[in-house]
Amino acid sequence: MIWETGYTLQNGKYIIQRLLGEGGFGVTYLAIEKHPMLGERKVVIKTPNDNLQNNPNYSNFVDKFIKEGKILYQLLEKHNPYIVRVTDLFKEGHLPCLVMDFIEGKNLFQIVQNRGALPEAEAIKYIQQIGSALQIVHHEKLV
């Protein structure tokens, strides 16, 4: 089931704005998080893909999703500017949901599609950023 614009989660704490993407494992949404004292902010909510529910190993996928969400949440203490911050993990009905900061802008794939091959110095900068993040997630056995 794809959540429609305006769909609310966690008793109105999160309001779905739009679908951002859907892949083989997950679905991501842009949402608004409402906080009574701090106001509103844009977040991304990721859930397992509905198609996985028919898979006999679905409970294993969910367990892995929740485990990885917990590890990513704990990475807040090892802040790395190249790893998106996980701020919440909850279940909505039977569906686990991972809440992450929304980062405005284009991803590296979009940049390369728009501009073509990047200059060497710029490409090296991105490679170093990715490597920095991969060191941490590999250490946590996420990759």
Side-chain angles (χ1 to χ4, degrees):
M1 168 184 103
I2 299 295
W3 292 327
E4 299 292 326
T5 299
Y7 188 82
T8 61
L9 308 165
Q10 297 293 285
N11 297 316
K13 181 177 181 180
Y14 301 103
I15 303 168
I16 299 297
Q17 298 299 295
R18 66 182 166 90
L19 178 70
L20 289 174
E22 185 174 7
F25 181 76
V27 180
T28 55
Y29 299 91
L30 174 63
I32 298 294
E33 178 183 25
K34 291 185 161 222
H35 190 282
M37 299 292 285
L38 301 175
E40 297 180 354
R41 72 182 187 111
K42 291 180 182 180
V43 296
V44 171
I45 298 179
K46 182 176 182 179
T47 67
N49 191 317
D50 275 350
N51 297 334
L52 288 177
Q53 292 180 20
N54 299 325
N55 187 307
N57 294 320
Y58 179 69
S59 63
N60 292 338
F61 288 122
V62 168
D63 291 344
K64 183 177 178 184
F65 182 89
I66 292 170
K67 179 182 176 188
E68 288 180 1
K70 288 178 179 179
I71 292 170
L72 288 169
Y73 182 79
Q74 292 168 353
L75 287 180
L76 286 172
E77 297 168 3
K78 300 176 184 177
H79 178 70
N80 181 300
Y82 310 116
I83 299 175
V84 69
R85 193 173 65 123
V86 171
T87 59
D88 199 1
L89 178 64
F90 63 89
K91 277 195 173 180
E92 186 71 22
H94 68 282
L95 202 57
C97 299
L98 186 64
V99 180
M100 301 170 274
D101 286 339
F102 174 70
I103 310 294
E104 195 80 48
K106 294 180 180 179
N107 63 40
L108 185 56
F109 179 76
Q110 292 167 325
I111 292 169
V112 171
Q113 271 198 319
N114 290 341
R115 293 177 39 200
L118 302 176
E120 182 179 340
E122 186 176 356
I124 289 171
K125 178 182 80 168
Y126 291 130
I127 291 167
Q128 289 172 331
Q129 293 171 357
I130 294 166
S132 169
L134 279 174
Q135 284 180 319
I136 292 171
V137 296
H138 179 71
H139 181 263
E140 298 297 329
K141 297 179 176 61
L142 291 174
V143 180

